[in-house]
């Protein structure tokens, strides 16, 4: 007969494994997209003098800060510090939304520079940039939804020092999103 603790431990391992498989799948998708970008660089219409919008630099700072605050939220709940956990979870949400805003501002900067993904003045370089950023934003929207669920469960007092699996899974996913944006940012910045 399985004890309650053994059941919780198995369930936690199962959820973590599912999340890891999902993150591996997402990594493979982005590896495919960046590989396609590498192959497309040989095209004659490839932009070589393209400058990354300044808003994307700010978004890098915002997502790095998200990783820090979600980590601090996890550490706070492990110490049963509910007030600090609340502050760090809400700060993570605010920083995540600031990341989305800065990404959209980056697209505005591209439009202002007359860099479009399609049309007569469109460029394959900008098309790849749009695809990579929008696909990352789609995954980030999943992170924001999960964060809203975590915050809701936190206010319902479902987490404490012995039960914090939701926050732990959310932190794993946010760290993954952080790593993914750092990879994409550095790839797009240095691969011209």
């Amino acid at each position: 007969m399985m004890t309650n603790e053994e059941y919780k431990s198995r369930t936690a391992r199962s959820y973590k494994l599912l999340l890891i498989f999902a993150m591996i799948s997402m990594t493979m998708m982005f590896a495919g997209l960046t590989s396609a970008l590498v192959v497309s660089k040989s095209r004659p219409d490839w932009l070589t003098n393209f400058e990354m919008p300044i808003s994307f630099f700010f978004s890098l700072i915002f997502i790095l800060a998200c990783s820090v605050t979600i980590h601090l939220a996890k550490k706070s709940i492990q110490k049963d510090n509910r007030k600090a956990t609340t502050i760090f979870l809400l700060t993570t949400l605010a920083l995540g939304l600031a990341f989305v805003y800065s990404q959209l501002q980056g697209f505005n900067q591209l439009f202002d520079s007359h860099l479009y993904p399609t049309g007569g003045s469109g460029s394959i370089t900008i098309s790849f940039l749009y695809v990579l950023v929008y696909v990352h934003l789609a995954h980030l929207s999943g992170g924001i939804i999960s964060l809203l669920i975590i915050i809701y469960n936190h206010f319902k007092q479902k987490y404490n020092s012995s039960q914090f699996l939701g926050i732990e899974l959310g932190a794993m996913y946010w760290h993954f999103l952080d790593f993914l944006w750092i990879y994409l940012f550095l790839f797009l910045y240095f691969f011209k």
Side-chain angles (χ1 to χ4, degrees):
M1 193 70 157
M2 190 184 321
T3 67
N4 193 28
E5 279 302 312
E6 289 173 333
Y7 176 76
K8 283 183 181 180
S9 177
R10 278 190 178 181
T11 302
R13 279 195 311 266
S14 297
Y15 284 145
K16 287 177 188 177
L17 193 58
L18 286 171
L19 181 59
I20 288 169
F21 283 142
M23 291 187 301
I24 289 170
S25 297
M26 290 176 225
T27 301
M28 291 171 60
M29 180 185 62
F30 279 100
L33 287 171
T34 53
S35 295
L37 193 143
V38 169
V39 170
S40 296
K41 186 181 178 186
S42 62
R43 291 173 52 124
D45 59 345
W46 190 261
L47 293 179
T48 55
N49 59 351
F50 167 70
E51 290 294 323
M52 185 77 74
I54 192 72
S55 292
F56 288 170
F57 288 95
F58 290 120
S59 67
L60 181 65
I61 294 167
F62 291 137
I63 202 150
L64 284 170
C66 279
S67 262
V68 171
T69 56
I70 194 76
H71 177 75
L72 293 172
K74 179 182 148 191
K75 291 298 180 188
S76 296
I77 200 64
Q78 288 173 331
K79 296 175 185 172
D80 277 327
N81 187 343
R82 296 192 53 75
K83 183 177 180 184
T85 304
T86 302
I87 291 168
F88 289 130
L89 287 173
L90 292 175
T91 303
T92 303
L93 178 62
L95 289 167
L97 294 174
F99 175 85
V100 172
Y101 177 77
S102 66
Q103 295 282 286
L104 297 176
Q105 285 301 109
F107 289 131
N108 285 339
Q109 290 171 3
L110 290 173
F111 280 140
D112 292 344
S113 300
H114 305 290
L115 295 171
Y116 307 105
T118 60
S121 61
S123 162
I124 189 70
T125 311
I126 303 304
S127 295
F128 270 110
L129 177 67
Y130 273 79
V131 167
L132 289 171
V133 172
Y134 274 127
V135 171
H136 184 264
L137 282 173
H139 289 92
L140 187 96
S141 66
I144 289 175
I145 290 168
S146 68
L147 187 60
L148 289 170
I149 293 167
I150 290 167
I151 290 169
Y152 174 79
N153 286 336
H154 174 66
F155 284 123
K156 289 291 208 175
Q157 299 188 5
K158 291 186 178 182
Y159 303 125
N160 56 46
S161 61
S162 62
Q163 169 46 33
F164 54 90
L165 180 63
I167 294 175
E168 185 175 17
L169 293 172
M172 285 174 62
Y173 189 67
W174 274 99
H175 293 320
F176 169 74
L177 290 172
D178 183 11
F179 166 77
L180 190 59
W181 179 247
I182 291 170
Y183 163 72
L184 291 173
F185 179 83
L186 292 175
F187 182 84
L188 292 168
Y189 186 78
F190 289 111
F191 189 81
K192 293 181 183 182

